[in-house]
Amino acid sequence: METRKTGSTNDRQDRLAEMLGVMARLRAAEEPSPADAEPRRDAGSKGPAGEEWLSVQAACDYVHVSRTTMYRLVREGKLPSHRVRGRILICRETLDRCIKDGLLA
């Protein structure tokens, strides 16, 4: 029968302190930054120049087209957009101009 030797009390305390330090660093890394703490604004977010930016779904609802169509227009470069934190945002003024020009008719 094989017996496991346990370390001294100091060794166990050192390992415990190390594990607690690692856990504290992980918790600190998971805490949101002050920028992330702001409430999320999906549709109708105002940009720094005062223009209104819409998520893809909000833009689809605004111009009454499917998400597939909206993503296709963005992918083909026919509809200018910006990607922020992995989300595609479209300026409402750009949508209005595209409607006026007949792109989204």
Side-chain angles (χ1 to χ4, degrees):
M1 177 185 234
E2 188 176 318
T3 59
R4 256 178 105 187
K5 290 186 178 180
T6 59
S8 67
T9 303
N10 287 338
D11 289 340
R12 284 183 287 193
Q13 287 177 343
D14 290 343
R15 284 192 307 238
L16 180 60
E18 183 180 346
M19 287 173 37
L20 290 174
V22 168
M23 289 173 55
R25 285 191 299 275
L26 287 173
R27 252 185 263 119
E30 291 175 357
E31 290 180 7
S33 67
D36 294 335
E38 293 179 12
R40 195 169 183 169
R41 298 172 294 181
D42 283 350
S45 297
K46 296 284 184 178
E51 63 266 329
E52 190 171 3
W53 293 88
L54 303 172
S55 65
V56 171
Q57 185 60 54
C60 291
D61 295 342
Y62 181 66
V63 295
H64 304 289
V65 298
S66 69
R67 287 173 41 132
T68 304
T69 300
M70 190 65 67
Y71 281 117
R72 180 178 48 79
L73 291 169
V74 169
R75 184 181 64 243
E76 292 174 353
K78 295 179 180 176
L79 183 61
S81 64
H82 292 280
R83 189 174 287 272
V84 178
R85 291 187 179 183
R87 297 180 61 216
I88 297 174
L89 298 177
I90 303 162
C91 181
R92 185 183 297 259
E93 292 174 9
T94 302
L95 283 173
D96 291 336
R97 194 170 42 251
C98 288
I99 292 170
K100 184 179 174 186
D101 294 344
L103 179 63
L104 298 173

